[in-house]
C-alpha cells in the first residue's frame, strides 16, 4: 500500500509577521493571535493545543489538551496527575506546547516549565465543571489499561452512587498545570516558503530577546 503526497502543496499568503508588529512581551502577541483565531470562522477549538513531554521511556509524546487560561505568568491546562503525561512531567517538567491554526496559516510553539497549579485554583476550576465531567475525572484512571468499555461505565456508575446527593469534590490526582514559558515562537506562513518566524527567548532579567529565525 502506498500513496504519494508529493503534490500536496499550498502557498501561504494570508498575513505577515514583522518585527515592527511585535510587542516586547510575547504574551501580548499571543493574546492578539488567540483573539483573532477565536473570532475567525476558520478555526474550531481555538484552545486545543498539542503538549509534548519526554517520557520515562526516553521518547517524546504529543497529545492534545485544552488550554483553559492564560495570564502574564503562562498557560494553564488540566489533567490527571497520575496519567502518562503527569508521570513524565514529574520526572522532567520541560514541556512544549503548540497551536496550529491552518485557516490563518499560523503556528505557535511554546517551550516552558510545567508546575502544578495551587490546589485552591484547581478546586475553583473543577467546581465550575458540569457534574458529568467531575464524575469522569473520578471514574477514569487516565492512561491505565482497561479490560473493556464496560469497566469504565461501571466505574462511572459507582462514583454516581458514591456522590449521590453530595458535593462532587476534586480528586487529588486531578488538577491544573501552569506552564511558564522560556521561549515562544510565532510562525506565519508566507509565499515561496519564506515564512516569518519570530522567536522570543527569556533573558536572565526576565525581559525577552526577539529574534527572526530562517524558515
Ligand atoms: C480536542 C481534545 C481535547 C482534549 N483535552 C484534554 C484535556 O484538557 N486534558 C486531558 O487530560 N486530556 C485531554 N484530551 C485527551 C488527551 O489527548 C490524552 O488522550 C489524555 O490526556 C491522555 O494522555 P496521556 O496518556 O499521554 O497522559 C483531549 C483530547 C482531544 C482530542
Amino acid at each position: 500500500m502506498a500513496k504519494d503526497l508529493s503534490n500536496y502543496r499550498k502557498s501561504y499568503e494570508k498575513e505577515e509577521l514583522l518585527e515592527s508588529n511585535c510587542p516586547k512581551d510575547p504574551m501580548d502577541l499571543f493574546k492578539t493571535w488567540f483573539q483573532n483565531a477565536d473570532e475567525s470562522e476558520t478555526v474550531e477549538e481555538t484552545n486545543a493545543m498539542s503538549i509534548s513531554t519526554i517520557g520515562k521511556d526516553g521518547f517524546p509524546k504529543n497529545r492534545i489538551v485544552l488550554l483553559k487560561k492564560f495570564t502574564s505568568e503562562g498557560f494553564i491546562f488540566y489533567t490527571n496527575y497520575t496519567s502518562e503525561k503527569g508521570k513524565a512531567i514529574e520526572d522532567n517538567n520541560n514541556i512544549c506546547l503548540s497551536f496550529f491554526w491552518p485557516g490563518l496559516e499560523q503556528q505557535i510553539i511554546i517551550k516552558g516549565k510545567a508546575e502544578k497549579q495551587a490546589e485552591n485554583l484547581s478546586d475553583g476550576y473543577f467546581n465550575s465543571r458540569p457534574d458529568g465531567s467531575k464524575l469522569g475525572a473520578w471514574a477514569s484512571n487516565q492512561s491505565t489499561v482497561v479490560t473493556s468499555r464496560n469497566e469504565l461505565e461501571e466505574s462511572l456508575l459507582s462514583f454516581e452512587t458514591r456522590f449521590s446527593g453530595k458535593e462532587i469534590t476534586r480528586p487529588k490526582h486531578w488538577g491544573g498545570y501552569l506552564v511558564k514559558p522560556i521561549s515562544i515562537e510565532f510562525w506565519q506562513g508566507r509565499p515561496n516558503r519564506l515564512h516569518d518566524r519570530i522567536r522570543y527567548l527569556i533573558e536572565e532579567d526576565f525581559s525577552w530577546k526577539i529574534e527572526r529565525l530562517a524558515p
Side-chain angles (χ1 to χ4, degrees):
M1 206 288 286
K3 181 165 168 65
D4 183 6
L5 308 174
S6 56
N7 63 348
Y8 278 37
R9 201 166 283 124
K10 187 181 164 192
S11 181
Y12 300 112
E13 322 202 313
K14 294 207 162 120
E15 286 292 338
E16 58 183 13
L17 177 61
L18 303 176
E19 286 80 345
S20 53
N21 294 325
C22 289
K24 282 192 184 136
D25 186 334
M27 294 309 286
D28 290 335
L29 189 52
F30 181 83
K31 188 176 172 196
T32 304
W33 276 34
F34 189 90
Q35 267 174 6
N36 186 43
D38 219 16
E39 284 161 16
S40 167
E41 284 177 5
T42 68
V43 180
E44 279 181 39
E45 296 210 85
T46 317
N47 62 331
M49 60 182 184
S50 142
I51 92 156
S52 58
T53 52
I54 305 287
K56 285 178 186 288
D57 58 5
F59 281 89
K61 182 180 172 190
N62 294 327
R63 76 290 273 163
I64 303 295
V65 298
L66 298 178
L67 176 67
K68 284 292 168 176
K69 191 171 183 176
F70 59 93
T71 70
S72 53
E73 270 199 301
F75 304 86
I76 293 157
F77 67 92
Y78 290 87
T79 194
N80 185 313
Y81 290 140
T82 61
S83 64
E84 187 177 345
K85 78 182 86 48
K87 288 182 176 144
I89 292 171
E90 211 172 282
D91 246 25
N92 180 350
N93 72 337
N94 292 334
I95 74 170
C96 186
L97 311 175
S98 72
F99 295 83
F100 174 43
W101 298 314
L104 302 172
E105 302 170 350
Q106 289 178 333
Q107 171 181 234
I108 304 176
I109 302 173
I110 299 148
K111 287 187 195 170
K113 300 215 170 257
E115 299 174 357
K116 277 185 188 168
Q117 201 188 24
E119 300 227 351
N120 64 321
L121 297 178
S122 288
D123 287 338
Y125 173 67
F126 187 81
N127 293 339
S128 75
R129 303 177 90 207
D131 283 357
S133 306
K134 289 180 182 169
L135 290 167
W138 278 103
S140 165
N141 199 357
Q142 197 177 51
S143 315
T144 58
V145 175
V146 286
T147 49
S148 63
R149 170 94 211 164
N150 203 32
E151 185 184 319
L152 292 172
E153 306 282 1
E154 281 178 5
S155 173
L156 184 63
L157 273 178
S158 77
F159 283 105
E160 276 171 2
T161 309
R162 177 170 151 188
F163 286 107
S164 172
K166 298 188 193 120
E167 185 196 349
I168 310 167
T169 51
R170 177 179 65 89
K172 291 289 172 218
H173 59 259
W174 189 99
Y177 283 105
L178 165 67
V179 182
K180 292 185 170 170
I182 59 119
S183 93
I184 307 188
E185 179 187 328
F186 296 85
W187 183 99
Q188 179 70 60
R190 298 293 306 273
N192 306 315
R193 298 297 182 258
L194 286 187
H195 313 301
D196 287 328
R197 295 178 64 192
I198 300 284
R199 180 180 65 192
Y200 288 75
L201 264 181
I202 203 156
E203 305 258 56
E204 276 184 10
D205 65 358
F206 297 107
S207 65
W208 293 93
K209 181 159 79 177
I210 302 177
E211 295 167 310
R212 176 174 287 270
L213 302 178

